[in-house]
Amino acid sequence: MRAAAVLFLLLALAGCGGVVQVDPPKPSGEAAAACDRLASLLPKTLDGAERGTSEPASPYVAVWGEASIAVRCGVPRPARMAPTDQLQEIDGVGWFADPDKPTLFTAVAAPTYVEVTVGGDHAASDVLAELSGPIGRAVSTQAG
């Protein structure tokens, strides 16, 4: 199921212009609360790309540019991620790079996972660096 959602997301990112079709995750509990906080912290521009619109509308999905960058908050733990895998840490956030999908990265930020797809002319390192701050703040803020 997850593979189908990722494939659907990648196909949507390959499209051009307009509203982007992205399968929204359905987090619950603490993960949903962290994702709600993240939604309010995400930038209007990311790596020079303007924020766009996804369909169906969801607080757990954000896209930028001509659908070349997409964020899905509250996804399941990556199936390919082993307990022994080393994560790249950026600004206090650990990132898992999927070895089978070079444009797919997942922030491992308890209590949630945040999936980022980076395509087009965007440098993944720049995008992940810009997103690490908001993700770190969203997961470190305790609900009220």
Side-chain angles (χ1 to χ4, degrees):
M1 178 87 158
R2 175 166 157 52
V6 170
L7 177 60
F8 182 68
L9 176 63
L10 293 174
L11 289 174
L13 291 174
C16 43
V19 176
V20 182
Q21 296 286 323
V22 180
D23 184 26
K26 296 176 176 89
S28 61
E30 290 180 6
C35 290
D36 288 338
R37 288 189 298 271
L38 178 60
S40 68
L41 297 172
L42 291 172
K44 293 183 191 301
T45 61
L46 183 57
D47 196 34
E50 293 292 323
R51 182 106 179 239
T53 305
S54 64
E55 186 66 37
S58 170
Y60 308 124
V61 173
V63 296
W64 288 264
E66 294 293 316
S68 54
I69 303 170
V71 170
R72 294 182 345 120
C73 187
V75 297
R77 180 181 185 279
R80 289 273 289 131
M81 190 172 79
T84 56
D85 282 343
Q86 297 245 339
L87 303 178
Q88 177 183 3
E89 187 174 318
I90 303 173
D91 205 13
V93 174
W95 288 94
F96 172 73
D98 191 313
D100 294 332
K101 298 173 185 80
T103 61
L104 184 63
F105 305 87
T106 304
V108 179
T112 192
Y113 293 94
V114 181
E115 186 178 88
V116 178
T117 304
V118 182
D121 294 331
H122 298 284
S125 59
D126 294 340
V127 171
L128 302 182
E130 285 187 53
L131 289 172
S132 290
I135 291 170
R137 286 191 302 280
V139 300
S140 67
T141 304
Q142 297 300 316

